[in-house]
Amino acid sequence: MTWSEMQPLLEQASWETLIMVGWSTLIAVVAGLPLGVLLVLTDRGGLLQNVVVNKVIGQVVNVGRSMPFIILMVALMSFTRWVTGTTIGSEAAIVPLAIGGIPFFARLVETAVREVDGGLVEAVQSMGGNTWTIVRKVLVPEALPSLIASTTTTIIALIGYSAMAGTVGGGGLGDLAVRYGYQRFETGLMWITVALLAVAISLIQFAGDYAARTLHRRGRGGAAPRLRLLKAKEPAAADVSKVA
C-alpha cells in the first residue's frame, strides 16, 4: 500500500479517534469530578459525612473500574443502541468509553482532593464558609494541578480504550490497525498507526505535565498561602487573649 493510499485512511481514523476520546473525556470529567468530590465529602469525618451514601457510591465506582473495557462494551450494547441507534462506529463507541472513564476519573479526583490541606478547610469554616464555598474556593482550586494530571491520565487511558473499541467496529486508529495491519497484512500501515498513537500520547502527557507544573507554581502566591497564614495566626491570637 502506497502513502497516497494510506493518507486518507489515517486522516479519517485519526479524526474518529479524536472525536471518541474528546467527547468521552468531556463526559468523564463532567460526571467524574462531582462524584469524586462527593466520595470525599461523604466519607468519615467529611463535611457531609454519610457512610451509607459513601459506601454505595464507592461500590458503584469499584464495579465500574474493575470491569474490563471489552466486556463493558459488550454489556452496554443494548444501552448504546438505545442512545445512539447503533452499536458500531465512533459515535456508538463514545457511550462505553464515557461510562468506563467516569469511575476511573472519579477515583483520581478523590485522591487529588484528599491531598488538600485540612487546615485550609478549617480556616474557611472558621470564617463562616459553607460546604459549597469550601468546595469551590478551597478543595477544587487547591487540587487543580493534581486534577489536570488526573485528566491527562484519563485521556491516555481512553486512547487505549478507543483502540480496543476499534476491534469490535468502533472505528479510529485501532480499527484501522486491525483491519489493514492484521487482517490484510499491511504491516507498514500498522506500525504507522502505532507511531501516531505513541506521538499523540507523548504530546498529551507533555502538555498535561506542563499545565500542572504551571498551575502549581502560580498557586504558591494565591489564596491558599493567605489562608494558611490566617490559620497560623489563630493560635497566636488565642494565646494573647489568655494572657490578657
Side-chain angles (χ1 to χ4, degrees):
M1 181 178 288
T2 63
W3 172 250
S4 61
E5 294 173 322
M6 292 181 187
Q7 187 176 0
L9 295 173
L10 290 169
E11 290 176 355
Q12 178 65 24
S14 299
W15 177 246
E16 290 174 350
T17 297
L18 179 63
I19 291 174
M20 286 190 292
V21 175
W23 278 107
S24 58
T25 299
L26 178 62
I27 296 170
V29 170
V30 170
L33 179 60
L35 197 61
V37 173
L38 195 60
L39 281 169
V40 177
L41 296 178
T42 57
D43 200 5
R44 295 183 186 275
L47 298 173
L48 301 175
Q49 178 175 320
N50 190 318
V51 178
V52 175
V53 172
N54 184 267
K55 293 295 184 183
V56 171
I57 297 175
Q59 283 300 112
V60 171
V61 170
N62 289 338
V63 170
R65 287 187 63 201
S66 64
M67 188 173 296
F69 180 71
I70 194 71
I71 296 176
L72 181 66
M73 284 191 65
V74 175
L76 291 174
M77 278 188 174
S78 298
F79 179 71
T80 300
R81 185 181 293 108
W82 178 73
V83 173
T84 65
T86 181
T87 58
I88 59 174
S90 56
E91 291 183 1
I94 292 172
V95 176
L97 282 170
I99 294 177
I102 289 171
F104 182 85
F105 185 69
R107 280 300 184 193
L108 295 177
V109 170
E110 180 189 11
T111 302
V113 172
R114 287 190 187 280
E115 293 175 354
V116 176
D117 185 3
L120 301 180
V121 176
E122 294 175 3
V124 175
Q125 284 180 314
S126 67
M127 291 185 286
N130 57 22
T131 301
W132 170 243
T133 301
I134 291 171
V135 171
R136 187 166 55 92
K137 296 290 187 180
V138 179
L139 295 181
V140 173
E142 280 293 291
L144 193 55
S146 296
L147 292 176
I148 294 295
S150 300
T151 304
T152 303
T153 302
T154 302
I155 293 173
I156 293 172
L158 288 175
I159 290 175
Y161 290 168
S162 72
M164 283 189 281
T167 63
V168 290
L173 291 170
D175 177 54
L176 184 65
V178 171
R179 284 193 295 115
Y180 286 85
Y182 177 72
Q183 295 177 351
R184 302 187 186 182
F185 304 101
E186 295 289 348
T187 307
L189 181 59
M190 183 180 67
W191 283 112
I192 290 174
T193 59
V194 171
L196 284 175
L197 288 170
V199 170
I201 289 172
S202 298
L203 290 175
I204 292 168
Q205 187 68 61
F206 174 79
D209 291 344
Y210 178 79
R213 287 195 302 266
T214 301
L215 287 171
H216 181 71
R217 288 196 296 268
R218 289 180 180 178
R220 293 176 182 175
R226 292 196 294 272
L227 288 173
R228 291 191 183 96
L229 182 60
L230 176 63
K231 187 64 182 175
K233 286 182 177 179
E234 286 180 355
D239 293 340
V240 171
S241 63
K242 287 180 182 179
V243 172

